[in-house]
Amino acid sequence: MLNDSFPITFGVELEMVLLFHEELIVNLLRLCEGRRPLTEALIEEYDRRDPALVSPSGQDPAMIFYRANERAERGLTPLSPDSILNPSLAVRIHNEASRLLVKNLTVKERVAMRQVLSQYQARRPMYMGWAVRQRGRRSNDSYEKWGHRRHAEGEFRTYVDEVLKIAQEVLGSAGMKTREDYKYWVAPRRRPIDIDIDTNETQQMSFPNWTLANDASLSGVPEPTTQDWLDIKKSDMEVQSTPQKWRHLVLGSRDTSRWDSHGVELISPVFEVNDESFRQINIMLKAIKGDAPSRHGALVQDFCGFHCHIGVPANEDDLNAQDGFDLATLQHLAYILVMYEDHINTIHPPHRREEWLEDSDAHSEINMTFTDIQSNRDAFLDFNPDDTFTLQPLQEVRAEIFKDDQTIENLASTMSASKATIVNWTYLKRLPNQGARTLEFRQHEGALRGDIVRWWVLFCTGLVKLANHMAHPPAGVVASYPSNEWNEDMSLWDLMELMEFPEEGQEYFRRRTAYYARGASMKVNNE
C-alpha cells in the first residue's frame, strides 16, 4: 500500500452480544455475589449447625472458601467446592445461587433499567438480560447506578461486572492471560497479553491491555434471537461431527430459558499495522465466539459497532516530541473525507449511514436500533430557503480547510461538532493528560470475523497514509487529486487506486458495495 513507511498505530473497539448458559452465571454468583460471597456465607452458616455437614474430611471451612473463591477473583474457572463439601450442601449452595437470578422481568421494568443505564434513554436498546437479586449493599456505590429496582421477589439490579468476568474467563481458558495469572506467549514476539475489566466507573484514558467493558448503548437479545442462535449451534455440531461426549452440552441445554445475553465491548491495546496484530485479534474473536459445544458465544446486532482508532506515536528519538498528527496531514484527510463520504457510505449497510437515521421510523421499544452517526460535511453545507441543503463547491471546501490561519483544534471542530460523527475528530483536541490524540472511525457495523476487521483497519489506515502522502510527497513526486470539482465520475475505486489498496481488498469491498446496492438491509455475515 501507499506510504507504508508512515508510522501509525491503531486500536479497535468491538461491540457484541455475549450469550451464556445459566450455569456460567450461577457458578460466578455463588462465589462473587454480595459483600460476602454466597459460598462463604453458607459454609460458615452450616458449619455452625453441623461441621460434619460442611466437610466430612474435617477441613477448615475458611480454607474451603479460600480455595473456591481464589480462582474466581482471578477471573479463572471457579474451583467448585462440590468436590470438597458434603454433596448435599454443594447442591444447596448451587440452588441458592440460582435463586439470585430474576428472569421474569416485565417490559416496564426493562425500560426502567434502560433509563437508569443511559442518558440517551430514547435512543438505546431496552435492557434484555436477567436481573440479580441483592443479598447486601456493596462497600461502594458503583452498583447503585446499574439499575436497582424493587420486584415482587425483592431488591434486584442489572448485571454489572458478572458478564465481563464470564468473558474474561472464556478468554483466559482459551490461552490468554488474565492480569493475575494466565500467560500466553505470542510467537514470534513472545509478548504476554493482558485482559482487564472496566465497568465504566471512571473515564479510562488509555487501554494498554485488552479490556472488556460495559457500554450502555448495547443490550442482550430477545428470546427468538437466542433460539435462532442455538439452532445454528446445533447445526454446527452436526456438520462438524462433534463427538458424542460433547453433544449433551448443547443439545441437552437448548432451552432458551436457560440462556441469557448481555452487551459487551472488547477493546484492544495499541497495535502496529502488521500481520501479528491481526493474528492476535483473530485469536480473541475465535475465543469469544466459542465453538459448537461451548456454553457461551457471541453475535452482533444492528446496534453493535466496530470503531477503529488511529494515532501517530511520538518520535522516540526526540525526547520533547508529542504523539499526534501534523496539521498538513489532517487537512488533506479532511479534504478526502469530504470529497468521498458518499462513496465510502456505499461500503456500509443502510443503518450505518446518516440518511438512514433521517428516514427510519422503525425503532421498536423492545429491540431499539438507533445508530448515532452524523456526517463530517455539515460545516460545508449551504442551507436553502426550502429547508434543503447543498454541498459547497470544492473550491470553497478547499479554501476553508487549507486557510492560512488553520489550526488542528479548529479543523477538528469543523469536522466534528460532537464525537458522534462518521470519523470522530474531537479526541485531537485532548490535552496530554487527557488520553491519546486519535482519529476514531466509527461507521463500521459490529464484526466478529477477523478478515472484516483486517480490511476495514487497512482501509482506515490507508486513508491516513494517503493524506500524509498528499501533504508530504516524496521528492520529485507531484501529488494531486483526480478532480478539483464535484463530478459524477468520482468513485470509491478511484480512491482505492490513490491508496494503492491491494486487489484482494478491493474485491472484498466490491462484494460489500454490490450487496448493499441491491437494497439489502441486513448486514453481511459478520459472525
Side-chain angles (χ1 to χ4, degrees):
M1 290 180 61
L2 180 71
N3 199 15
D4 270 339
S5 61
F6 182 43
I8 59 177
T9 56
F10 78 94
V12 296
E13 299 172 357
L14 301 168
E15 298 175 347
M16 65 193 72
V17 178
L18 186 74
L19 299 98
F20 49 93
H21 191 268
E22 181 179 6
E23 287 300 311
L24 296 182
I25 189 69
V26 168
N27 286 338
L28 188 68
L29 288 176
R30 67 178 183 174
L31 294 177
C32 300
E33 170 56 22
R35 180 178 296 177
R36 297 181 67 232
L38 179 65
T39 301
E40 179 186 24
L42 290 179
I43 285 176
E44 292 189 3
E45 176 183 343
Y46 283 105
D47 184 52
R48 289 193 297 269
R49 300 180 186 177
D50 184 359
L53 176 64
V54 174
S55 176
S57 62
Q59 295 188 52
D60 182 0
M63 183 56 65
I64 295 175
F65 165 72
Y66 175 79
R67 292 180 60 189
N69 193 46
E70 180 184 32
R71 291 173 62 86
E73 291 180 344
R74 294 177 180 175
L76 309 181
T77 303
L79 177 62
S80 173
D82 300 359
S83 60
I84 307 171
L85 301 175
N86 184 300
S88 63
L89 177 57
V91 171
R92 294 183 195 183
I93 292 175
H94 182 277
N95 291 340
E96 284 294 325
S98 298
R99 282 192 285 270
L100 291 176
L101 293 176
V102 181
K103 299 181 180 180
N104 56 330
L105 299 175
T106 66
V107 171
K108 182 178 180 180
E109 288 168 335
R110 295 186 184 280
V111 171
M113 285 186 166
R114 180 187 71 196
Q115 293 172 345
V116 171
L117 288 173
S118 177
Q119 58 180 314
Y120 306 105
Q121 300 168 11
R123 300 183 177 184
R124 298 311 187 199
M126 181 187 301
Y127 180 77
M128 296 299 296
W130 299 332
V132 180
R133 189 180 298 114
Q134 293 294 99
R135 293 183 51 251
R137 191 62 57 87
R138 292 273 176 170
S139 58
N140 58 63
D141 64 354
S142 63
Y143 279 49
E144 292 290 339
K145 64 181 180 181
W146 289 96
H148 278 273
R149 295 286 166 184
R150 294 296 301 174
H151 188 271
E153 299 182 51
E155 187 88 9
F156 67 98
R157 60 168 175 80
T158 66
Y159 293 129
V160 181
D161 58 359
E162 290 85 3
V163 180
L164 301 182
K165 288 181 177 180
I166 289 175
Q168 186 185 45
E169 178 185 341
V170 163
L171 296 173
S173 64
M176 293 299 170
K177 172 181 176 292
T178 55
R179 173 167 289 280
E180 294 86 356
D181 194 39
Y182 270 110
K183 291 185 177 180
Y184 180 84
W185 297 97
V186 179
R189 299 175 66 184
R190 311 287 290 179
R191 183 163 61 88
I193 298 176
D194 290 319
I195 304 169
D196 296 339
I197 283 181
D198 173 29
T199 57
N200 288 339
E201 296 176 20
T202 59
Q203 183 63 40
Q204 196 161 334
M205 292 294 100
S206 64
F207 296 89
N209 308 311
W210 280 100
T211 302
L212 291 157
N214 289 311
D215 189 318
S217 69
L218 304 177
S219 174
V221 293
E223 184 174 319
T225 304
T226 302
Q227 185 63 67
D228 291 344
W229 179 79
L230 287 172
D231 290 341
I232 293 173
K233 284 177 73 72
K234 177 185 177 183
S235 176
D236 287 346
M237 292 185 76
E238 294 170 349
V239 170
Q240 298 169 11
S241 300
T242 303
Q244 187 67 33
K245 66 178 180 178
W246 297 111
R247 293 197 172 203
H248 72 282
L249 293 180
V250 173
L251 302 184
S253 58
R254 289 182 60 246
D255 179 4
T256 56
S257 67
R258 302 200 67 191
W259 286 82
D260 198 14
S261 58
H262 189 73
V264 299
E265 185 176 29
L266 179 61
I267 305 169
S268 79
V270 177
F271 282 128
E272 297 177 358
V273 186
N274 56 39
D275 290 341
E276 178 59 28
S277 299
F278 295 120
R279 178 179 176 273
Q280 284 194 28
I281 293 172
N282 272 324
I283 292 173
M284 297 294 279
L285 291 178
K286 182 178 179 180
I288 203 71
K289 288 188 294 185
D291 53 21
S294 300
R295 291 204 168 188
H296 78 277
L299 53 78
V300 292
Q301 297 288 280
D302 282 349
F303 53 74
C304 297
F306 156 29
H307 303 165
C308 177
H309 287 258
I310 298 177
V312 176
N315 185 348
E316 295 181 357
D317 296 329
D318 184 355
L319 297 179
N320 296 317
Q322 294 184 343
D323 64 310
F325 297 89
D326 64 275
L327 175 60
T329 296
L330 292 173
Q331 287 173 307
H332 279 274
L333 179 63
Y335 186 55
I336 292 169
L337 292 175
V338 172
M339 276 199 299
Y340 288 99
E341 182 175 296
D342 286 341
H343 306 286
I344 296 174
N345 276 343
T346 64
I347 293 174
H348 304 287
H351 74 277
R352 302 300 294 187
R353 306 175 193 173
E354 186 189 36
E355 64 268 20
W356 183 84
L357 301 179
E358 298 170 354
D359 298 338
S360 176
D361 59 359
H363 306 317
S364 70
E365 187 66 37
I366 293 181
N367 194 19
M368 186 169 294
T369 301
F370 187 98
T371 310
D372 199 0
I373 297 177
Q374 302 166 13
S375 171
N376 287 115
R377 304 199 295 194
D378 287 352
F380 306 100
L381 300 176
D382 288 330
F383 290 87
N384 304 317
D386 60 353
D387 291 333
T388 61
F389 53 84
T390 56
L391 274 168
Q392 298 173 357
L394 271 181
Q395 182 179 359
E396 295 182 22
V397 173
R398 287 194 301 273
E400 173 61 27
I401 291 176
F402 294 97
K403 60 186 180 182
D404 293 339
D405 60 347
Q406 186 66 274
T407 63
I408 291 179
E409 290 75 15
N410 181 69
L411 182 61
S413 297
T414 299
M415 295 298 292
S416 294
S418 72
K419 65 176 290 185
T421 44
I422 290 173
V423 180
N424 170 26
W425 291 62
T426 63
Y427 296 151
L428 296 177
K429 297 186 288 184
R430 283 173 166 171
L431 298 176
N433 63 343
Q434 294 179 327
R437 288 187 283 265
T438 62
L439 289 158
E440 181 187 22
F441 289 75
R442 297 173 54 87
Q443 190 170 16
H444 206 287
E445 77 275 18
L448 292 175
R449 276 175 37 194
D451 61 327
I452 294 177
V453 173
R454 177 174 177 267
W455 286 123
W456 182 240
V457 169
L458 290 178
F459 182 83
C460 296
T461 55
L463 288 175
V464 176
K465 291 178 180 180
L466 173 61
N468 180 260
H469 172 81
M470 291 296 187
H472 310 287
V477 175
V478 178
S480 62
Y481 295 101
S483 177
N484 290 323
E485 297 297 337
W486 299 112
N487 67 73
E488 296 180 356
D489 294 330
M490 296 174 62
S491 74
L492 176 65
W493 317 115
D494 291 337
L495 178 59
M496 294 275 193
E497 290 299 323
L498 285 175
M499 296 163 62
E500 298 181 5
F501 206 73
E503 284 295 330
E504 183 185 357
Q506 291 192 44
E507 179 58 31
Y508 163 78
F509 283 116
R510 286 185 190 277
R511 293 195 301 270
R512 281 183 64 98
T513 56
Y515 180 82
Y516 295 124
R518 294 196 299 267
S521 60
M522 296 299 292
K523 57 187 176 295
V524 176
N525 180 14
N526 284 336
E527 301 167 17

